[in-house]
Amino acid sequence: SEKMQRRQSSKTPKQPLQGHHENQTDLSAWRKGGRIDPGKSVQNIQSPNDQKNDSKQDSLEQALSYFAKVQDRVSLKNNSVLQKHLTTVESIALQRGLPPEGFDVLLNVALSGKLADTVNTRLLKSLVPASVIPETSVISSVSWLCVSKCSGNIQLLFLRWLITVFDFIDRKEQLHALYGFFFSFLQDEKMCPYVCHLLYLLTRKESVKPFRIRRLLDLQAKMGMQSHLQALLSLYKLFCPELVTITLPGKMKTYFKSSEGPWKAAINTVRRRNQENSLVSQPLFLGTAQPQSRKRKWNTQLIIPASSTNKNNLEENREKNHVDLYSTSESFPVEQLQTFPQLLQNIHCLEFPSQMGSVLTNPLLLHYMNCIKDESVYLRLYYWMGQTLQEECTWCVADNNQYEEEFKDFLETVYKTECFLQEGFSSCEEFLYKSLPLWDGFCCRSQILKLVSWIPLSSSSEMKSHLYDPLAQLFFTSSLYFKCSVLETLKELLQNWLNWHMIHLDSEFESEVYSLNTTLSGLVNVVAELIHFVGWISTVALRLENNATFLLYFILDFYETVCDMYLRYNLPLLIMPPAGVFYPALLSMDSVSLNQLCYIMYRYRTNLVAAKENELSKKKTLQFKFSSQIYQEYNQYIIAMVGCLWTSRAFQKDIHPQGLRMDDELLKKTAVQEFRTSFNIVYHPAMMGYAVLFLQQAWPDDTTFDLSLIKRDKAMSNWYLEYLYAQGLKGLKVFIESSINRVSQAS
């Protein structure tokens, strides 16, 4: 039959050294490390390096010809020819990688059972791609699994290789057609984890069938809760939730064991060596694929992959059959997606690439993710990203230090994607929780802190032990600038959480959102925990850094967000700064810090007044009410500020337990004559410079600089205030107008 003829033809090794398809690469292109231009003949004077490459090419051609002609079972022992060609393949594969034509020959001979397992193992471990792997070679090799010619260990090694190089396969349409064939291997207990991994990469919505779900559930009942089975069931449930009714763990895990074996390191080595030895920075690619980055494997995945239909065939089909690229009957190839109108016209038939990393650098696909909340896309992206982050982390994996710059670039790309989507990735959260306890606070500092600012909002109990505790250890033992960076990061984290709350507050899916992530009370608790953590580390940091003005700026900047949470973000929560932050700011020698504090206290008052009015109006039943403690703390602070800046009675009236109240007898021992006025708006260390400049402008000829003149006359005092406002002290202005005037009028 025709089917049998196709199977027989698949067993006949192709002869890549004798003829080539017009779109396919040849060994001369691989030798020179460049692209083929079919319109030009390559007849140049060869350099010594080219001659050396010619010698390697000849050796590889001889080796491939030898393996292509192997018919009967051959033993490695005492066979110098086999040993020679095997060594040639291994050495060239590790030095430069194999050209696409080599895979068909080597896969067929390794899986045909004609050689001993030791030889087959060495051949499979030598399959390092220099560019791409033709899908036809993979399909041909998979067909050998039907006839059971190779041992179970070789089959297992082949599956591991296939998973590792999955992103290097030029097309995958025929591979998707073999989904059912791979599924049948789940019954093998040793192969099951790797088969699940491969199926996870291949699964589409049409792959989910009731009989497959029943089979997975039967295997789970037989083997127990295996992570690889959970991974596949989770993906099935996302595609067809009505078919998978069992409860599965909601949080992502590392579902699969590493399958990379010796190939990943070899691929990285080959890429670096090829780039060092050639002016051409990109390896050879087929069809419409774009040149890939010189980065490592995760960076090569950041390129949009080639379509499953190459360019020439696409043109032929369009001419012969008038195929409409915008037709709704077939998926639209992502590498053809160039404009936003194209995205809108094809959004219903767009299929994401197998290389999920390519999504990160494509704004159009990111727009698609924002518009179409396809959980399967997010799950695939999270899985890929989680695996990549864990494997490439320069301080979690030995011998990765040399790749720090590349890892930085990758983290920066992930961060920019989170900014674009305005949401954090759970896979990044898990990576941070695992890696922060091992982090030295120096490697990739900027990128790691940026990722921390996008940790998703959740009621997870892991935040204290996995985020706050490691950060605190680094925070207290690091430089002033690191402390400021951490405070800025935590402010951005708080703002991202509050923005998330605002976006979903009026959403029709509000109840669904809160049930999936956290309740409103859970949100309040998580935000409060973050604010208390920042208050604690800020208090300690100010002591360690002697109340540094630079540090105080970042602390008060954080509380500018906190003081406005009720009105600006509609969150029923207000937390006053601890005394260890408030009093250093109040007594600061820098006017910027004092001005910030005045603005913050003004916004606290505005929010508290609004909250009290809402409580008294009783127009609606409030789920949350502010406790009397927050009002009490505010009143204590406001009395201290008014006593310092205006009434000059802070030492007598401050009632805060950690406040400025002191007996007159103790104050007299300081030998300061006018101790009562030491911190008012004229004599305050942060304001005295303004007072002196004001006197110079008011009385240019007076050299006595009698600052007491400012407070003696009410008109002079008002003039001084107007002068301060003109200097840009807007925070001081709104504070005085909202609080101090009211106190003066009441008295």
Side-chain angles (χ1 to χ4, degrees), residues 207 338 408:
S207 308
Q338 301 294 332
K408 278 183 182 179

Side-chain angles (χ1 to χ4, degrees), residues 127 129 133 160-169 267 297:
L127 297 179
I133 301 171
R160 291 176 57 196
W161 172 81
L162 188 57
I163 293 167
T164 304
V165 301
F166 186 81
D167 290 323
F168 291 90
I169 302 173
I267 290 171
K297 183 183 173 186

Side-chain angles (χ1 to χ4, degrees), residues 705-747:
F705 296 112
D706 185 3
L707 298 180
S708 62
L709 293 174
I710 298 175
K711 293 288 286 183
R712 286 177 190 171
D713 183 76
K714 186 175 182 181
M716 182 65 68
S717 180
N718 289 336
W719 188 14
Y720 175 61
L721 286 178
E722 293 299 326
Y723 171 78
L724 292 178
Y725 301 159
Q727 303 307 306
L729 299 177
K730 304 301 182 184
L732 181 69
K733 180 178 187 291
V734 294
F735 175 75
I736 289 177
E737 291 177 350
S738 64
S739 298
I740 291 182
N741 282 347
R742 293 176 67 258
V743 172
S744 299
Q745 291 167 5
S747 62

Side-chain angles (χ1 to χ4, degrees), residues 490-687:
L490 295 177
K491 183 200 75 172
E492 292 173 359
L493 176 63
L494 175 62
Q495 289 176 336
N496 287 333
W497 285 356
L498 295 174
N499 287 332
W500 180 92
H501 167 66
M502 282 294 293
I503 291 171
H504 295 90
L505 190 62
D506 299 324
S507 169
E508 58 180 314
F509 304 110
E510 178 183 353
S511 59
E512 177 185 349
V513 168
Y514 278 117
S515 64
L516 287 175
N517 292 277
T518 179
T519 61
L520 182 57
S521 61
L523 168 65
V524 170
N525 292 335
V526 172
V527 171
E529 184 182 13
L530 172 60
I531 296 171
H532 287 308
F533 172 71
V534 172
W536 170 60
I537 63 173
S538 298
T539 300
V540 177
L542 285 170
R543 294 174 185 171
L544 293 174
E545 301 293 344
N546 296 320
N547 297 328
T549 301
F550 190 61
L551 176 65
L552 189 58
Y553 169 82
F554 285 91
I555 295 172
L556 294 177
D557 195 38
F558 177 84
Y559 279 98
E560 279 192 31
T561 300
V562 175
C563 69
D564 238 354
M565 291 190 300
Y566 182 73
L567 286 178
R568 182 172 296 178
Y569 298 101
N570 205 11
L571 186 71
L573 176 68
L574 281 178
I575 298 175
M576 299 299 297
V581 170
F582 173 80
Y583 284 103
L586 178 61
L587 305 179
S588 171
M589 299 185 69
D590 181 73
S591 60
V592 174
S593 299
L594 183 62
N595 186 63
Q596 269 186 293
L597 180 64
C598 289
Y599 176 78
I600 289 169
M601 294 304 293
Y602 161 71
R603 292 308 302 171
Y604 270 120
R605 178 185 179 279
T606 305
N607 279 258
L608 288 170
V609 168
K612 179 62 71 175
E613 289 175 351
N614 285 340
E615 289 179 18
L616 295 176
S617 67
K618 298 182 180 179
K619 291 181 180 179
K620 59 180 180 179
T621 304
L622 300 177
Q623 183 179 356
F624 294 92
K625 293 182 179 180
F626 291 144
S627 67
S628 59
Q629 182 182 356
I630 181 69
Y631 294 101
Q632 181 181 351
E633 289 180 357
Y634 171 79
N635 289 333
Q636 289 174 343
Y637 284 160
I638 210 70
I639 289 172
M641 287 189 70
V642 172
C644 272
L645 299 175
W646 199 255
T647 64
S648 300
R649 303 190 66 183
F651 297 118
Q652 291 77 32
K653 296 295 185 179
D654 192 347
I655 59 175
H656 194 280
Q658 296 173 262
L660 301 175
R661 186 181 182 89
M662 283 185 279
D663 294 334
D664 286 352
E665 294 298 324
L666 180 61
L667 289 168
K668 289 176 182 178
K669 292 180 180 180
T670 63
V672 177
Q673 293 183 356
E674 298 295 333
F675 56 81
R676 287 188 178 85
T677 61
S678 297
F679 293 101
N680 69 18
I681 202 170
V682 176
Y683 290 96
H684 194 291
M687 309 303 297

